[in-house]
Amino acid sequence: MTKPTAPRRKRVFSGMQPSGEAHLGNYLGALRRWVEMQDQYDCLWCIVDDHAITAGGNPKDMPRNVLDLAVSFLAVGLDPEKSIIFVQSDVHEHTELAWLFNAVTPVGELERMTQYKDKSQRFESIPAGIFNYPILQAADILLYKADAVPVGEDQRQHLELTREIARKFNATYGDTFPETDPLIDESVGRIMGLDGEAKMSKSLGNTVGILAEPAAVWDRVRTAVTDPQRVRRSDPGRPEICNVFTLHKFFTDAATRADIENKCRAAEIGCVDCKRILSDNIAQAFGPFRERAAHYRAHPEEIRRVLSEGAERARVIARGTMAEVRQKMGLDWRAAID
Ligand code: TRP
């Protein structure tokens, strides 16, 4: 008797732009979940440097930013034994497929993208890459025929376009791509920056690096904005609207949290003490990350190996999809001879 084959595990893909070491927002919004998903799905985790060219940074910073994000991936526990971890530009098929998707992507859909609209309103001139960005993202995902993609709420529209591109391609050239599901974690919600004003982002300086030393964590958490109506320590606080209290949800046990909540309302604990507890808990939670990062920093050849092997494994899948795509689109002129 033949052994029953296990049902194929779902394939999951996600990407993150390299802007250096990952920060608290990346961790809560993405990496934390990615680590858990590794045991359930066949995962690909991609450092999307080709996307990052649209962010307008200095090209000299790119190699370091990619390396620092790779260290962050490994530090939080993304595991090359379980997942394919790689850099987008190492697999040229991403940009190749993106170009071919131009054939089935309506300009009107790209014009509707809110990220594009925001940027085109804020700047007088923007590179075409910002307009075309979602096509490359669709290519990332569909190159691997991913069943699902964990992303934040802000990426929902890009995922809808990815599904539309898949549908149009299939309708025009024959069934090739799945309609990938977005996996949006509703439980996290929007994680506000420490300034309480905008989404956490490194460029806004309203977050803290996941590899920061305890003193550096405190340096950032100390500045966090709390309930603006709580001016004096004797004023009762409103935990439900306090961003610091929200962050406790991720780092502090339920009993301590309930205690903080009651004491905040009763003005028995001040914001500084509340932040101190949060800061200590974050620094402690990140401890194992700092240790793993130190290991990889001391052994950069291991990072090189992880990323090379990751790209090699990704390429095997990518090549297969591209052969199928070219054949379906009729792009092999040799067919006229053979
Ligand atoms: N656009 C995504 C972001 O800004 C990054 C990204 C690029 C991505 N390609 C992807 C995410 C493919 C998921 C799947 O967060």
Side-chain angles (χ1 to χ4, degrees):
M1 236 180 72
T2 53
K3 255 196 354 202
T5 48
R8 183 171 92 77
R9 290 215 293 183
K10 284 197 172 176
R11 187 176 282 160
V12 161
F13 180 100
S14 200
M16 191 175 282
Q17 285 197 39
S19 52
E21 179 186 316
H23 59 73
L24 184 55
N26 301 135
Y27 177 68
L28 295 178
L31 296 174
R32 200 170 53 119
R33 254 177 117 207
W34 295 8
V35 170
E36 284 173 15
M37 287 180 153
Q38 297 184 110
D39 294 315
Q40 251 174 299
Y41 304 104
D42 286 335
C43 301
L44 295 113
W45 309 123
C46 186
I47 296 177
V48 292
D49 57 344
D50 283 329
H51 274 103
I53 62 161
T54 64
N58 187 339
K60 284 204 189 107
D61 297 334
M62 186 80 86
R64 172 115 317 252
N65 284 342
V66 169
L67 184 72
D68 287 349
L69 187 57
V71 170
S72 299
F73 275 17
L74 297 168
V76 297
L78 294 185
D79 181 349
E81 300 282 322
K82 297 179 180 172
S83 304
I84 299 180
I85 301 169
F86 72 108
V87 179
Q88 185 183 32
S89 64
D90 279 344
V91 183
H92 297 163
E93 284 80 356
H94 288 247
T95 45
E96 185 181 1
L97 184 58
W99 175 257
L100 297 180
F101 279 168
N102 279 311
V104 290
T105 309
V107 166
E109 293 293 318
L110 294 175
E111 282 169 344
R112 284 183 44 234
M113 294 293 123
T114 41
Q115 282 195 356
Y116 163 70
K117 283 199 285 189
D118 283 355
K119 289 190 174 140
S120 58
Q121 267 159 22
R122 271 191 290 139
F123 303 99
E124 207 171 303
S125 163
I126 56 160
I130 288 187
F131 186 62
N132 288 313
Y133 183 107
I135 308 185
L136 181 57
Q137 184 163 348
D140 296 339
I141 295 165
L142 296 175
L143 190 54
Y144 303 98
K145 302 189 179 182
D147 298 296
V149 174
V151 279
E153 180 61 44
D154 63 327
Q155 295 297 310
R156 192 187 286 280
Q157 216 185 10
H158 288 165
L159 263 292
E160 271 163 23
L161 180 59
T162 300
R163 293 162 65 90
E164 159 120 15
I165 290 173
R167 273 194 300 273
K168 285 207 145 202
F169 189 98
N170 293 346
T172 312
Y173 303 108
D175 201 24
T176 309
F177 295 113
E179 280 187 45
T180 305
D181 290 322
L183 295 179
I184 292 165
D185 184 358
E186 314 281 353
S187 73
V188 181
R190 203 165 155 218
I191 295 150
M192 294 305 279
L194 299 173
D195 57 1
E197 278 176 22
K199 192 179 113 162
M200 274 190 190
S201 110
K202 183 159 173 177
S203 58
L204 294 175
N206 61 0
T207 185
V208 53
I210 59 159
L211 303 176
E213 293 292 334
V217 174
W218 173 240
D219 246 16
R220 303 314 328 270
V221 171
R222 194 171 51 85
T223 68
V225 171
T226 54
D227 177 358
Q229 279 181 26
R230 194 173 186 204
V231 183
R232 273 175 292 270
R233 197 183 187 283
S234 54
D235 297 337
R238 297 171 299 168
E240 67 279 4
I241 62 111
C242 178
N243 195 33
V244 170
F245 186 72
T246 304
L247 289 170
H248 271 291
K249 189 170 95 189
F250 302 103
F251 295 99
T252 304
D253 66 86
T256 310
R257 229 160 53 222
D259 187 48
I260 291 173
E261 182 170 5
N262 294 333
K263 287 187 172 153
C264 171
R265 284 190 210 289
E268 285 167 12
I269 184 176
C271 292
V272 176
D273 293 332
C274 177
K275 288 182 193 178
R276 186 41 108 172
I277 298 168
L278 176 65
S279 173
D280 288 349
N281 291 350
I282 292 177
Q284 196 184 355
F286 288 177
F289 305 169
R290 290 193 298 273
E291 274 176 35
R292 252 177 263 146
H295 166 83
Y296 283 106
R297 293 262 183 235
H299 302 279
E301 71 286 354
E302 285 184 31
I303 303 172
R304 186 194 291 269
R305 201 186 62 231
V306 165
L307 296 179
S308 316
E309 287 177 5
E312 202 46 63
R313 290 166 65 198
R315 251 181 242 124
V316 173
I317 308 171
R319 281 199 200 110
T321 305
M322 285 316 298
E324 184 184 354
V325 164
R326 275 190 229 101
Q327 186 255 323
K328 291 219 164 105
M329 292 182 81
L331 281 170
D332 187 358
W333 58 267
R334 288 163 200 83
I337 302 171
D338 297 338

